[in-house]
Amino acid sequence: MAVEELSLGVPKPIIDSLPESDGAAAQDMQKAVHGLETRLNRAITNAESESEAAEYVVDAIERLEDHYQKYDEFVPELRAWGQSPIYAIAWRNLQADLILQLQEYDWLKPHVDRERNFRLVDDGIRFGKR
């Protein structure tokens, strides 16, 4: 199976939103994104079909959505405690951007949509109470 390899990155606006410091948060983000990219590309390379590759990508998208929710929940909590939520906001925004980056691959789009719909039905969710 020959498909385009994934290339993910941390957008410059997210890096720029971080406070000036030693750059540790930016490095952590870049390491996390590189790790995700490496794991996904390895899984895609080892997949026997584009559909199987999409399963791995959907798993990653679902994890990113969960992480997005967790970071989003931290924002008001940090504010309530009088702490800056800037890092939680940056990590939340990174999760959302990575989802968008994954959705930009044309070869993945139909497979990801199909896999997500399959998971909805497989989980027993039916629309219109059928």
Side-chain angles (χ1 to χ4, degrees):
M1 175 184 71
V3 295
E4 179 182 3
E5 193 170 85
L6 302 178
S7 177
L8 305 173
V10 181
K12 186 168 174 13
I14 292 176
I15 298 285
D16 292 344
S17 73
L18 297 169
E20 294 294 325
S21 63
D22 61 359
Q27 288 177 344
D28 289 346
M29 287 180 168
Q30 290 166 338
K31 285 179 187 176
V33 170
H34 178 70
L36 174 64
E37 176 185 285
T38 301
R39 285 188 306 278
L40 284 175
N41 281 325
R42 187 177 309 125
I44 289 168
T45 300
N46 294 332
E48 294 182 16
S49 67
E50 286 184 7
S51 295
E52 184 180 339
E55 290 178 33
Y56 296 112
V57 174
V58 170
D59 288 341
I61 289 172
E62 289 177 351
R63 277 192 311 279
L64 290 167
E65 289 170 341
D66 288 344
H67 291 158
Y68 176 92
Q69 283 297 117
K70 288 177 186 170
Y71 286 118
D72 195 49
E73 291 168 5
F74 288 149
V75 172
E77 188 174 325
L78 288 167
R79 284 188 177 134
W81 287 97
Q83 297 180 12
S84 172
I86 190 65
Y87 292 107
I89 291 170
W91 279 96
R92 177 198 64 195
N93 292 347
L94 177 60
Q95 306 311 299
D97 196 271
L98 289 170
I99 292 167
L100 292 174
Q101 288 180 49
L102 288 170
Q103 292 172 342
E104 290 177 357
Y105 286 89
D106 289 334
W107 71 267
L108 266 175
K109 285 178 187 177
H111 299 292
V112 167
D113 290 343
R114 201 170 14 257
E115 178 64 21
R116 292 201 81 171
N117 289 333
F118 172 77
R119 289 180 185 195
L120 281 174
V121 173
D122 193 47
D123 287 344
I125 298 171
R126 299 284 190 262
F127 297 104
K129 298 181 181 180
R130 293 182 193 166

